[in-house]
C-alpha cells in the first residue's frame, strides 16, 4: 500500500450528485483541493432523469450549465398526466389529460444521465478536480470533532491491484444507496411509503407528437408533449415516459409494493405488463421498440437519521442520504438544496468560522432537510389509492404546485434557504406545514377513492389557466376536463 495521500475534500461517488457538488466546490471554494472517487469506469443509464424547477435553477444559476444543457440535453415541457378507461384501452388522443400547452418560463430538463455524468467528469478534471475512476472506497474511519478541533477522515481506495490510504478534512458521501457513511453511522431508516419501481430504456418508440388528429395536437398549440415527463395514471400505480435524447426513451412503472411482480424484473415480464395498456403499447410500436436494459427496486423509498454533521465534517448527498418517490421528480431538487448547504458549511469552516457556529448552522440545515423529506413523503403517502381518478388528482395537483412554489422554490430562487434567520423562522412553522400536508386533498380523499377513473370517451374539452405564486406568467393547461399546472 502506498503512503497516505491527502486532499481537502473527498467526494465518494462520481454519479450526478458527486459530479455536481465537485463542480460547485471548484466554483465557490477554489482554494480547496477536491478528489472524486467513482467505482465504475464509464457512465451508465440511471433512474432520476427528470428535473424540476429548483434543480433547473441550480444547474443554470449556480453551476453555469445553461449553454451545455440546451446544447446537449433536452428542455423539459413540465409534467403531463394521462387518464385511461377502466379497461386500459383508450387511444392516447382520447385520454383525459392534464398538462401545459407551451414550454414553460422556468427551466427544467430531461437528462441523459450517462452522457451528463461523462461530460461533468471531463469538466471537473479540467477545473482541477482529481478524478479517480474504477476506484472503490472502503475501510472508512470517520474522525469525530473533539475539544482540540476536528480530526481527519481516512478511507482506503482500491484501483485495480493498487490500494491507497486517503485522508481528508471534509468527506462527502455521494455514493448512492450503498453509502459508506450511512452504513458506518447506522443512519438508514425505513419510511411508511411502500412503493416499488421497475424501468427500462427503449429505442424505436413512436412519436407521440405525430399521433392522433390535428385537433389533438392543436389543443396544445402543437407544443411538444414528447418533452414532458408523461405520467399514465392508474389505480395504485403510474407509468412514466421520459425522453433522454439520442432516440432513447425511459419507460418505468412505480406503484404500491403489493402490486409489484417479480416477473417484471425480466424483460419479457415487463413487456407483457406494458402490453396490457393500449396507449403505452402503441407508443412502443406494439412491442417493436427495442428494450435496451431493465432495472428495478422492490423498496424505493427510505430516510436517514442525519443528512449532515458539519462540526464533524461529513455529509450525505443525494441517494446516499434518502429517497422518496419520483412522481414529481424531486430527486435532483434534493441534490441541489443539499449541495448548497454542504458547500456553504465547508466554505464557512474553511474561512475559520467557529465550531459552535458551524454546529448551529449544520443542525438547522439538517433539520430543514428532514422537514423537506417529511413533507415530500406526505405528498405521496396517500397518493396511490387515488391515482386513477382525474378529479381527485387534479385537485391534489393544484394544492401541491402551490405548496412547491411557495414553500420550497421561491426561497431557493432568492437564496433565502441559506439565511439562518429565515430558515429558523420556517422551521418554527414546520409542524403547521406538515399538519396541512396531512390534510391535503390526497389525504382527505381516501374515503372518496372509489371515484370512477375519468372516462376518456365522455370527457369534455376545456382550457383554463393556473398562475404560479412566484411569477406573473400564466401556466396554461389544457385537458379533457379542466386544468392542472406545471
Amino acid at each position: 500500500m502506498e503512503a497516505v495521500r491527502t486532499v481537502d475534500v473527498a467526494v465518494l461517488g462520481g454519479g450526478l450528485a458527486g459530479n455536481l457538488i465537485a463542480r460547485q466546490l471548484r466554483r465557490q471554494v477554489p482554494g480547496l483541493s477536491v478528489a472524486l472517487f467513482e467505482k465504475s469506469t464509464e457512465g451508465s443509464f440511471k433512474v432520476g432523469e427528470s428535473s424540476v424547477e429548483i434543480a433547473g435553477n441550480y444547474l443554470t444559476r449556480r453551476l453555469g450549465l445553461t449553454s451545455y444543457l440546451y446544447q446537449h440535453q433536452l428542455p423539459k415541457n413540465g409534467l403531463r398526466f394521462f387518464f385511461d378507461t377502466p379497461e386500459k384501452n383508450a387511444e392516447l388522443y382520447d385520454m383525459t389529460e392534464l398538462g401545459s400547452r407551451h414550454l414553460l418560463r422556468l427551466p427544467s430538463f430531461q437528462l441523459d444521465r450517462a452522457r451528463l455524468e461523462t461530460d461533468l467528469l471531463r469538466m471537473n478534471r479540467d477545473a482541477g478536480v482529481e478524478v479517480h475512476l474504477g476506484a472503490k472506497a472502503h475501510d472508512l474511519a470517520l474522525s469525530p470533532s473533539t475539544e482540540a478541533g476536528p480530526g481527519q477522515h481516512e478511507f482506503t481506495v482500491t484501483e485495480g491491484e493498487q490500494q491507497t490510504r486517503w485522508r481528508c478534512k471534509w468527506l462527502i458521501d455521494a455514493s448512492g444507496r450503498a453509502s459508506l457513511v450511512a452504513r458506518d453511522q447506522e443512519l438508514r431508516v425505513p419510511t411508511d411509503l411502500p412503493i416499488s419501481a421497475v424501468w427500462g430504456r427503449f429505442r424505436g418508440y413512436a412519436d407521440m407528437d405525430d399521433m392522433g388528429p390535428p385537433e389533438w395536437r392543436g389543443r396544445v398549440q402543437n407544443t411538444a408533449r414528447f418533452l414532458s415527463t408523461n405520467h399514465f395514471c392508474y389505480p395504485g400505480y403510474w407509468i412514466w415516459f421520459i425522453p433522454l435524447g439520442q432516440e432513447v426513451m425511459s419507460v418505468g412503472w412505480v406503484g404500491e409494493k403489493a402490486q409489484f411482480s417479480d416477473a417484471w424484473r425480466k424483460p419479457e415480464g415487463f413487456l407483457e405488463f406494458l402490453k396490457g395498456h393500449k396507449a403505452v403499447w402503441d407508443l412502443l410500436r406494439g412491442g417493436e421498440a427495442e428494450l435496451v436494459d431493465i432495472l428495478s427496486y422492490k423498496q424505493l423509498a427510505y430516510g436517514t437519521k442525519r443528512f449532515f454533521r458539519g462540526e464533524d465534517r461529513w455529509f450525505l448527498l443525494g441517494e446516499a442520504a434518502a429517497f422518496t418517490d419520483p412522481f414529481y421528480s424531486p430527486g435532483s431538487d434534493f441534490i441541489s438544496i443539499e449541495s448548497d448547504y454542504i458547500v456553504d458549511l465547508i466554505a464557512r469552516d474553511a474561512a475559520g468560522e467557529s465550531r459552535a457556529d458551524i454546529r448551529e448552522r449544520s443542525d438547522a440545515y439538517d433539520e430543514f432537510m428532514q422537514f423537506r423529506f417529511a413533507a415530500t413523503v406526505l405528498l405521496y403517502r396517500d397518493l396511490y389509492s387515488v391515482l386513477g381518478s382525474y378529479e381527485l388528482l387534479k385537485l391534489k395537483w393544484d394544492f401541491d404546485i402551490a405548496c412547491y412554489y411557495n414553500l420550497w422554490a421561491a426561497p431557493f430562487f432568492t437564496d433565502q434557504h441559506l439565511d439562518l434567520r429565515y430558515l429558523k423562522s420556517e422551521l418554527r412553522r414546520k409542524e403547521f406545514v406538515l399538519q396541512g400536508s396531512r390534510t391535503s386533498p390526497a389525504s382527505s380523499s381516501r374515503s372518496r377513492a372509489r371515484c370512477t377513473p375519468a372516462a376518456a370517451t365522455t370527457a369534455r374539452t376545456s382550457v383554463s389557466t393556473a398562475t404560479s405564486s412566484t411569477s406573473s406568467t400564466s401556466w396554461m393547461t389544457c385537458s379533457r376536463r379542466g386544468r392542472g399546472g406545471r
Side-chain angles (χ1 to χ4, degrees):
M1 183 180 293
E2 289 187 356
V4 176
R5 294 192 60 187
T6 62
V7 67
D8 290 327
V9 185
V11 180
L12 306 184
L16 182 65
N19 270 293
L20 293 179
I21 199 163
R23 179 176 176 85
Q24 188 174 357
L25 284 163
R26 294 304 297 153
R27 289 169 66 88
Q28 292 185 216
V29 203
L32 297 181
S33 59
V34 180
L36 181 148
F37 303 89
E38 168 55 41
K39 65 181 180 180
S40 301
T41 57
E42 58 184 21
S44 61
F45 287 124
K46 298 182 179 72
V47 72
E49 302 124 334
S50 187
S51 70
V52 286
E53 287 84 345
I54 288 176
N57 182 275
Y58 172 78
L59 294 170
T60 56
R61 180 170 67 99
R62 192 79 77 218
L63 296 190
L65 292 170
T66 303
S67 296
Y68 167 82
L69 289 166
Y70 281 106
Q71 290 174 14
H72 301 288
Q73 303 289 335
L74 294 176
K76 177 177 173 178
N77 191 15
L79 306 179
R80 191 173 303 276
F81 307 92
F82 291 99
F83 301 85
D84 208 341
T85 62
E87 296 76 23
K88 307 172 189 175
N89 62 359
E91 299 283 357
L92 175 64
Y93 46 84
D94 283 331
M95 285 182 160
T96 305
E97 176 185 3
L98 294 177
S100 61
R101 67 178 187 185
H102 56 72
L103 286 172
L104 306 179
R105 184 178 70 84
L106 297 177
S108 58
F109 302 92
Q110 308 288 26
L111 304 172
D112 178 342
R113 288 277 300 273
R115 182 177 187 180
L116 176 58
E117 290 166 14
T118 298
D119 291 343
L120 284 171
L121 283 169
R122 172 182 50 79
M123 295 179 200
N124 283 331
R125 275 199 189 98
D126 293 345
V129 176
E130 185 175 345
V131 174
H132 295 260
L133 299 182
K136 182 180 179 181
H138 53 94
D139 293 336
L140 174 68
L142 296 177
S143 178
S145 181
T146 65
E147 291 184 4
Q152 291 198 323
H153 310 303
E154 292 191 9
F155 55 96
T156 299
V157 174
T158 298
E159 299 178 75
E161 299 298 320
Q162 180 175 308
Q163 286 194 342
T164 307
R165 193 68 176 167
W166 282 82
R167 186 177 294 145
C168 64
K169 296 178 182 177
W170 296 275
L171 186 136
I172 301 170
D173 190 337
S175 59
R177 292 169 181 252
S179 168
L180 279 178
V181 172
R183 282 184 285 154
D184 182 80
Q185 299 292 301
E186 298 181 344
L187 298 175
R188 195 61 48 82
V189 294
T191 70
D192 60 347
L193 200 59
I195 54 172
S196 305
V198 56
W199 67 95
R201 277 76 180 183
F202 288 83
R203 297 186 188 275
Y205 53 86
D207 180 3
M208 68 164 52
D209 291 320
D210 195 33
M211 298 174 72
E215 294 79 13
W216 186 68
R217 297 190 295 275
R219 199 173 79 202
V220 294
Q221 301 177 353
N222 292 292
T223 192
R225 286 181 171 97
F226 156 81
L227 289 174
S228 299
T229 294
N230 289 291
H231 303 62
F232 292 85
C233 300
Y234 298 90
Y237 67 93
W238 57 284
I239 298 169
W240 81 61
F241 273 67
I242 301 174
L244 304 182
Q246 303 185 72
E247 300 183 349
V248 176
M249 180 72 71
S250 173
V251 179
W253 174 95
V254 182
E256 296 169 337
K257 188 185 289 188
Q259 296 199 35
F260 180 76
S261 170
D262 284 329
W264 302 346
R265 295 177 184 268
K266 297 181 178 179
E268 57 272 18
F270 188 41
L271 291 171
E272 185 63 27
F273 170 76
L274 296 174
K275 186 177 180 180
H277 306 75
K278 176 174 173 47
V280 168
W281 199 239
D282 287 347
L283 286 169
L284 298 177
R285 296 189 182 277
E288 293 182 8
E290 176 194 1
L291 177 56
V292 177
D293 66 357
I294 187 167
L295 293 166
S296 62
Y297 285 127
K298 188 68 172 286
Q299 174 57 43
L300 200 57
Y302 54 91
T304 182
K305 297 176 186 176
R306 189 86 189 188
F307 285 84
F308 322 119
R309 196 170 292 282
E311 67 275 21
D312 289 339
R313 292 179 165 178
W314 59 256
F315 314 89
L316 299 183
L317 177 61
E319 290 189 40
F323 190 81
T324 55
D325 185 309
F327 189 73
Y328 287 149
S329 307
S332 52
D333 274 12
F334 272 82
I335 291 172
S336 303
I337 300 169
E338 290 161 6
S339 294
D340 265 7
Y341 286 158
I342 293 169
V343 173
D344 185 57
L345 288 168
I346 291 175
R348 291 173 180 276
D349 196 356
E353 196 162 305
S354 73
R355 308 311 301 162
D357 287 348
I358 293 293
R359 181 181 294 107
E360 179 188 20
R361 186 171 288 271
S362 178
D363 287 345
Y365 286 171
D366 187 82
E367 185 181 355
F368 182 82
M369 290 311 308
Q370 297 287 0
F371 171 31
R372 176 71 200 273
F373 179 83
T376 304
V377 168
L378 287 172
L379 278 179
Y380 304 122
R381 192 183 61 183
D382 297 318
L383 170 66
Y384 284 80
S385 63
V386 302
L387 258 184
S389 169
Y390 164 82
E391 291 86 355
L392 294 179
L393 193 61
K394 169 185 173 293
L395 184 66
K396 175 175 168 55
W397 171 252
D398 288 343
F399 178 85
D400 290 349
I401 195 170
C403 289
Y404 179 80
Y405 282 107
N406 280 287
L407 294 176
W408 318 118
F412 187 88
F413 295 163
T414 56
D415 289 338
Q416 287 179 292
H417 66 299
L418 296 169
D419 182 326
L420 192 57
R421 180 179 297 179
Y422 171 83
L423 203 60
K424 288 183 175 181
S425 72
E426 289 297 286
L427 291 172
R428 282 194 291 271
R429 61 173 186 159
K430 174 178 66 175
E431 292 306 320
F432 172 78
V433 171
L434 293 177
Q435 182 58 34
S437 298
R438 293 185 186 100
T439 56
S440 70
S443 299
S444 61
S445 62
R446 288 182 69 91
S447 62
R448 294 176 285 163
R450 296 189 182 91
C451 180
T452 303
T457 54
T458 60
R460 173 177 58 85
T461 301
S462 66
V463 177
S464 57
T465 304
T467 304
S468 140
S469 62
T470 59
S471 169
S472 60
T473 301
S474 294
W475 301 73
M476 300 302 294
T477 305
C478 79
S479 70
R480 294 300 240 183
R481 263 197 247 176
R483 65 184 175 92
R486 196 162 54 189

